[in-house]
């Protein structure tokens, strides 16, 4: 597939030099059909990413991941610590979806949807092309001594990169603490909430480091998805691939010569122009085959198609294709492995939907106070003391709450709560006593069913254990 004896790419990544130091990649500015498609997708996703924490549905932030308060909103749907099982299932669904998607289409997620790629290629690099120029100018600028021109361009770029990183950090913080909280902090001023402001600057520094220096190393070194790709792909997976059969033929690739019948003399269609290499944002040569660094960004497809058009050869030398398609002309098939992933994904989604329908807006938990036994009272009454916790997952206050025994005759008395209520998206805790006549007990430990009412409406039921004397009847 590759030129004989040139397998050095397997020994090291393209962003390291011979001494093990950082080799910066200066990709040529991409252009073409696929790049235009990627721009449309990227701008839509950028708008979504920036707007999501500021959109509210029924009072809930559209997307929020408040780890400190253990509150999560996904598509406006709130999740509490009590909903951990739902969150776990959603995460498992995400993992299975990645397995299915990667096995079928390689790292297309990385090139088209990943926030790292979108910000890097559609925001920071575009600023860089505007200030520093295209590939050739960037290389010359990096080798240039620190004169007035270089200082001016570097300082301008660094300032703009810092501002963009600061804005990204604010959006990121809105996901973590909530947009309302963030806007309040901004209104109050940075020195009113010093710890939050310091956190914001740390996030800004991280984003600046990633997009100004670390860059494609995130995809190559840090991202676990890149490591996962190697075990998920097979010869049926559709990836950005170089058609080595057509590109090499009998005598291999060669520079283009006018009025030459390349097919007759056995030369491949690859004219060895290196445009696919120059435009690659991770610095690889796609002609060496599928590699760890490839993020399926399609920049090499556009570059190759442009060159093929220029020399009047068919486009598609680099294209979306599987190894089987290139070697055997096989079309995409829904393999047993893909069917297995799809079946598992379908089952998990069905389970999640069922659990979401069964999920209550109010969560109630009533537990016996640890270390406390039952107490005998007048008129043959047995009393147990409990703690209760009520979680309101809705955006409305729940008022006039009271408890009633549904399984036994008896009474429930709440301690110091004359007007019990739970505020919107909040919880309340307290203590209550349950009293049951000993004659109604058939065992020393019985399960009680308790109804929680708001006014006259039953809003939740729960169970708890009640202790009493053995065989009292």
């Amino acid at each position: 597939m590759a030129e004989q004896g040139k397998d050095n790419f397997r020994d090291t990544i393209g962003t390291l030099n011979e001494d093990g130091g950082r080799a910066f990649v200066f990709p040529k500015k991409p252009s073409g059909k696929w790049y235009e498609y990627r721009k449309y997708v990227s701008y839509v996703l950028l708008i979504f990413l920036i707007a999501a924490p500021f959109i509210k549905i029924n009072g809930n932030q559209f997307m929020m991941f408040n780890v400190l308060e253990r509150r999560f909103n996904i598509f406006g749907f709130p999740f509490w610590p009590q909903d951990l099982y739902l969150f776990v299932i959603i995460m498992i669904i995400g993992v299975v979806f990645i397995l299915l998607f990667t096995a079928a289409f390689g790292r297309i997620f990385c090139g088209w949807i990943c926030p790292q790629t979108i910000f890097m290629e559609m925001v920071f690099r575009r600023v860089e092309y505007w200030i520093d120029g295209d590939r050739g100018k960037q290389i010359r600028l990096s080798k240039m001594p620190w004169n007035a021109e270089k200082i001016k361009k570097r300082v301008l770029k660094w300032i703009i990169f810092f501002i963009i990183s600061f804005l990204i950090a604010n959006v990121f913080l809105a996901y973590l603490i909530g947009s309302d909280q963030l806007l309040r902090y901004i209104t109050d001023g940075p020195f009113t909430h010093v710890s939050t402001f310091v956190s914001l600057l740390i996030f800004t520094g991280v984003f600046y480091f990633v997009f100004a220096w670390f860059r494609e190393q995130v995809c190559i070194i840090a991202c676990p998805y890149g490591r996962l790709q190697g075990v998920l792909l097979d010869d049926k997976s559709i990836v950005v691939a170089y058609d080595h059969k057509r590109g090499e033929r009998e005598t291999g690739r060669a520079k283009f010569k006018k009025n030459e019948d390349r097919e007759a003399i056995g030369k491949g269609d690859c004219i060895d122009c290196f445009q696919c290499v120059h435009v690659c944002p991770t610095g690889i040569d796609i002609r060496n085959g599928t590699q760890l660094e490839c993020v399926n960004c399609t920049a090499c497809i556009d570059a190759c198609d442009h060159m093929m058009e220029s020399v009047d050869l068919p486009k598609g030398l680099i294209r979306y294709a599987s190894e089987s398609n290139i070697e055997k002309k096989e079309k995409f098939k829904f393999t047993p492995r893909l069917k297995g992933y799809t079946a598992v994904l379908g089952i998990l989604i069905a389970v999640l939907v069922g659990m979401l329908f069964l999920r209550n807006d109010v969560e109630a938990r009533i537990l016996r106070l640890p270390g406390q036994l039952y107490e005998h009272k007048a008129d043959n009454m047995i009393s147990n003391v409990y703690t209760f916790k009520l979680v309101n997952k809705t955006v409305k206050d729940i008022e006039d709450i009271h408890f009633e025994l549904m399984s036994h005759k008896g009474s429930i008395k709440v301690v110091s709560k004359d007007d019990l209520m739970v505020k919107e998206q909040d919880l309340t805790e307290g203590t209550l006593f349950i009293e049951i006549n000993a004659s109604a007990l058939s065992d020393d430990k019985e399960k009680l069913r308790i109804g929680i009412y708001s006014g006259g409406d039953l809003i939740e039921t729960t169970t708890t254990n009640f202790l009493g004397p053995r065989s009292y009847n």
Side-chain angles (χ1 to χ4, degrees):
M1 182 182 298
E3 290 181 285
Q4 296 297 319
K6 293 188 178 180
D7 282 348
N8 294 335
F9 73 95
R10 300 187 189 278
D11 302 325
T12 182
I13 58 177
T15 53
L16 293 180
N17 57 33
E18 293 179 358
D19 300 325
R22 175 69 186 278
F24 276 89
V25 176
F26 299 98
K28 183 180 177 183
K29 186 177 181 180
S31 63
K33 178 184 72 173
W34 290 104
Y35 184 64
E36 291 300 314
Y37 292 158
R38 280 178 60 214
K39 281 202 296 188
Y40 299 144
V41 172
S42 296
Y43 293 151
V44 169
L45 291 175
L46 276 172
I47 292 170
F48 172 81
L49 189 66
I50 295 170
F54 300 96
I55 298 173
K56 291 191 176 182
I57 296 178
N58 295 326
N60 294 316
Q61 189 169 307
F62 191 67
M63 298 290 283
M64 183 174 71
F65 305 94
N66 192 332
V67 179
L68 297 177
E69 297 180 9
R70 295 178 296 171
R71 289 174 55 191
F72 304 90
N73 291 349
I74 299 178
F75 303 125
F77 198 91
F79 291 87
W80 288 70
Q82 292 81 2
D83 299 318
L84 178 63
Y85 62 98
L86 290 174
F87 201 73
V88 169
I89 290 177
I90 290 174
M91 297 302 292
I92 294 173
I93 288 174
V95 170
V96 175
F97 181 78
I98 287 175
L99 293 176
L100 171 62
F101 207 70
T102 306
F105 303 110
R107 289 180 74 176
I108 193 171
F109 170 86
C110 297
W112 289 72
I113 302 174
C114 177
Q116 159 70 18
T117 303
I118 291 173
F119 277 115
M120 186 70 252
E121 301 302 320
M122 299 300 172
V123 179
F124 287 89
R125 281 210 201 277
R126 289 177 71 83
V127 171
E128 198 163 55
Y129 291 133
W130 170 58
I131 296 173
D132 292 350
D134 210 339
R135 171 184 163 81
K137 291 183 179 180
Q138 289 183 26
I139 294 174
R140 288 192 294 273
L141 187 66
S142 69
K143 295 178 179 179
M144 185 185 297
W146 284 90
N147 54 27
E149 180 188 356
K150 184 169 182 176
I151 292 172
K152 182 181 72 172
K153 288 186 175 182
R154 284 288 185 264
V155 171
L156 176 61
K157 185 173 73 172
W158 291 340
I159 290 173
I160 294 175
F161 277 10
F162 182 85
I163 292 171
I164 296 173
S165 299
F166 184 74
L167 294 175
I168 295 173
N170 275 273
V171 173
F172 181 71
L173 200 60
Y175 280 98
L176 294 182
I177 66 174
S179 56
D180 291 341
Q181 191 85 323
L182 175 66
L183 293 174
R184 185 170 68 83
Y185 286 171
I186 293 173
T187 305
D188 292 344
F191 300 108
T192 309
H193 307 279
V194 176
S195 60
T196 303
F197 185 63
V198 170
S199 300
L200 186 63
L201 290 178
I202 291 172
F203 286 138
T204 301
V206 170
F207 288 124
Y208 182 85
F209 169 75
V210 167
F211 294 115
W213 191 85
F214 205 49
R215 301 193 157 198
E216 67 284 338
Q217 300 281 75
V218 173
C219 308
I220 299 171
I221 297 174
C223 180
Y225 185 39
R227 312 284 79 75
L228 187 64
Q229 175 195 225
V231 297
L232 293 177
L233 297 181
D234 58 22
D235 62 351
K236 304 291 191 301
S237 302
I238 295 177
V239 295
V240 172
Y242 166 65
D243 189 343
H244 60 94
K245 289 278 192 180
R246 176 188 150 194
E248 309 292 317
R249 288 204 176 95
E250 293 83 10
T251 60
R253 61 184 83 134
K255 295 292 184 181
F256 176 75
K257 292 182 180 179
K258 198 171 182 180
N259 300 323
E260 180 182 53
D261 190 346
R262 300 175 68 90
E263 189 171 358
I265 57 179
K267 290 183 179 179
D269 280 359
C270 177
I271 61 174
D272 214 17
C273 62
F274 281 90
Q275 291 304 302
C276 59
V277 180
H278 294 161
V279 82
C280 179
T282 58
I284 67 169
D285 188 340
I286 192 64
R287 297 173 298 176
N288 289 325
T290 301
Q291 296 157 66
L292 173 72
E293 299 94 328
C294 180
V295 293
N296 285 22
C297 70
T298 70
C300 56
I301 297 180
D302 283 330
C304 186
D305 282 351
H306 173 71
M307 293 307 298
M308 291 295 101
E309 246 180 346
S310 301
V311 296
D312 201 25
L313 289 172
K315 294 192 293 186
L317 181 59
I318 302 175
R319 63 183 186 273
Y320 276 119
S322 66
E323 187 63 27
S324 292
N325 175 260
I326 292 172
E327 292 281 358
K328 309 170 187 175
K329 303 300 180 184
E330 287 184 2
K331 293 184 178 179
F332 176 74
K333 293 181 181 178
F334 206 56
T335 63
R337 183 162 73 123
L338 296 181
K339 291 177 182 177
Y341 287 148
T342 304
V344 172
L345 185 63
I347 292 170
L348 287 171
I349 291 175
V351 170
L352 176 64
V353 171
M355 286 183 169
L356 288 175
F357 275 110
L358 294 173
R359 175 181 180 268
N360 292 328
D361 290 334
V362 178
E363 186 97 12
R365 181 168 295 180
I366 300 176
L367 300 173
R368 290 190 70 259
L369 198 63
Q372 296 292 320
L373 297 175
Y374 61 87
E375 181 183 357
H376 283 277
K377 291 202 167 186
D379 300 325
N380 205 25
M381 300 296 288
I382 304 298
S383 175
N384 282 207
V385 61
Y386 298 82
T387 59
F388 69 86
K389 179 186 286 187
L390 300 177
V391 179
N392 179 6
K393 302 175 185 177
T394 70
V395 292
K396 296 180 180 178
D397 295 345
I398 300 178
E399 301 176 339
D400 192 20
I401 296 175
H402 61 278
F403 302 88
E404 292 184 13
L405 280 169
M406 304 178 74
S407 57
H408 294 70
K409 288 185 178 181
S411 63
I412 300 179
K413 298 177 182 177
V414 180
V415 178
S416 303
K417 295 282 184 179
D418 297 329
D419 187 17
L420 184 61
M421 68 170 291
V422 189
K423 292 184 178 180
E424 60 176 274
Q425 295 191 355
D426 202 354
L427 62 85
T428 188
E429 300 174 283
T431 305
L432 57 81
F433 290 91
I434 299 179
E435 296 182 359
I436 299 176
N437 195 289
S439 62
L441 302 175
S442 57
D443 203 351
D444 61 341
K445 185 177 181 180
E446 296 203 12
K447 188 172 288 294
L448 305 182
R449 189 161 177 261
I450 301 169
I452 297 91
Y453 291 81
S454 174
D457 299 325
L458 178 66
I459 57 175
E460 175 64 311
T461 60
T462 187
T463 59
T464 190
N465 292 320
F466 188 89
L467 299 184
R470 182 183 297 274
S471 301
Y472 207 88
N473 289 341

